[in-house]
Amino acid sequence: MKVWIGFLLLVLGVSLEAQTSPAHNWHSPSEVVKKIKKNFSEINSYSADFLIKTEDNKKEKQMRGKCFYKRPGKIRYNFAEPEGDEIVSDGKTLHIFIKRLGAVGKQDLTLDRKNSSGPIFTTNSPEGLNRLFRKYHYKFDTIEQPRSIGDTTKYFVLDLDQREKIGGFEKMKLFVDSESYLIKKAVATDGRGKVTTISFSNINFSEEIQDGVFNFHMSGNAKIVNNPLVSEN
């Protein structure tokens, strides 16, 4: 769970460090990433349908639902499958509710870790998340960029490779809409070969989203697990 939660946060707009690569078709990976960052910084809110698929030892599993984002740093994932699960953040605290376990992971997003230069996550921009994913090189996966993949939409496709093998996802592939510079799909592989794919559809920027959407209401019977993603230790 810990790993794919981080993956969701990445797709919501994490910024990455650039690796120098030659330009292709008058584009370069660093140009694309700059535009992804710029596009995300200008988004006030959106809603979208999401689908998460995992493949592990020939076993497949999928999760789906609807997500919401509002600046600065507010997110909500309502799961229809498995029904009742939630991921909610008001920008300062992240709650992860797993219904079948009756448990809530409560993550403080403003923790200061020893020997760090500040909070693990910032509360008002994607830069804080950069600390989780800055250990990746990235480049185009092929010379042909952008290109059509499965439909009429053209995508820039970025291959990411973990600089130091420290666990989690060692490789990722991002599919970036060449017109909107939105990440429409991401595929990640861990060191054991488990593959996780997250895709977004029906993205709506005009839906009015109230701040109250990002308040987490906990069942009185739920067990709380503090800081399951990142601790102060």
Side-chain angles (χ1 to χ4, degrees):
M1 181 185 73
K2 179 176 179 178
V3 178
W4 66 259
I5 293 293
F7 191 27
L8 283 176
L9 297 176
L10 166 65
V11 178
L12 281 170
V14 66
S15 57
L16 303 167
E17 291 185 17
Q19 174 188 22
T20 303
S21 297
H24 300 284
N25 296 345
W26 303 103
H27 294 284
S28 70
S30 59
E31 279 184 282
V32 172
V33 170
K34 286 178 182 178
K35 289 184 178 180
I36 293 172
K37 292 180 184 179
K38 182 177 185 296
N39 179 73
F40 184 77
S41 70
E42 294 173 350
I43 293 174
N44 289 315
S45 64
Y46 70 80
S47 65
D49 295 330
F50 69 87
L51 175 64
I52 304 171
K53 293 183 178 180
T54 59
E55 300 175 35
D56 189 15
N57 292 326
K58 297 183 179 180
K59 294 182 179 179
E60 295 187 4
K61 179 182 178 180
Q62 71 176 26
M63 296 171 278
R64 66 175 69 244
K66 186 171 183 177
C67 64
F68 304 85
Y69 166 82
K70 188 172 184 179
R71 191 165 63 180
K74 298 179 176 70
I75 61 169
R76 172 178 278 275
Y77 277 71
N78 291 333
F79 287 78
E81 183 184 352
E83 185 179 1
D85 286 3
E86 297 177 293
I87 300 173
V88 187
S89 174
D90 61 2
K92 296 180 181 180
T93 305
L94 177 71
H95 291 91
I96 306 158
F97 176 56
I98 308 298
K99 184 177 180 180
R100 67 180 178 83
L101 299 178
V104 178
K106 184 179 179 181
Q107 178 66 55
D108 182 356
L109 302 183
T110 62
L111 282 177
D112 285 330
R113 294 190 69 180
K114 188 177 180 181
N115 298 323
S116 73
S117 58
I120 295 167
F121 303 92
T122 60
T123 59
N124 59 357
S125 72
E127 279 75 13
L129 296 178
N130 184 45
R131 297 187 183 189
L132 293 180
F133 302 97
R134 64 188 175 187
K135 299 297 184 179
Y136 292 84
H137 295 292
Y138 63 76
K139 62 183 180 180
F140 286 141
D141 70 331
T142 66
I143 296 282
E144 185 185 358
Q145 300 289 338
R147 66 180 187 275
S148 297
I149 301 176
D151 55 28
T152 58
T153 304
K154 288 191 173 183
Y155 296 92
F156 292 105
V157 184
L158 296 170
D159 273 342
L160 283 66
D161 188 26
Q162 200 174 49
R163 292 175 186 247
E164 299 178 19
K165 306 309 179 190
I166 57 175
F169 292 119
E170 294 187 356
K171 295 185 181 296
M172 298 186 190
K173 189 182 289 285
L174 302 183
F175 295 79
V176 183
D177 189 308
S178 63
E179 293 187 2
S180 67
Y181 288 90
L182 292 172
I183 300 172
K184 294 291 187 68
K185 184 171 76 170
V187 181
T189 306
D190 68 16
R192 299 184 298 105
K194 181 178 180 180
V195 179
T196 301
T197 302
I198 299 178
S199 56
F200 295 88
S201 60
N202 300 321
I203 300 174
N204 185 350
F205 296 100
S206 61
E207 181 176 351
E208 185 176 349
I209 305 174
Q210 301 296 324
D211 287 341
V213 168
F214 306 98
N215 294 331
F216 179 71
H217 302 285
M218 186 171 62
S219 168
N221 297 323
K223 178 183 177 181
I224 300 175
V225 179
N226 287 313
N227 299 323
L229 303 182
V230 182
S231 71
E232 293 178 286
N233 298 322

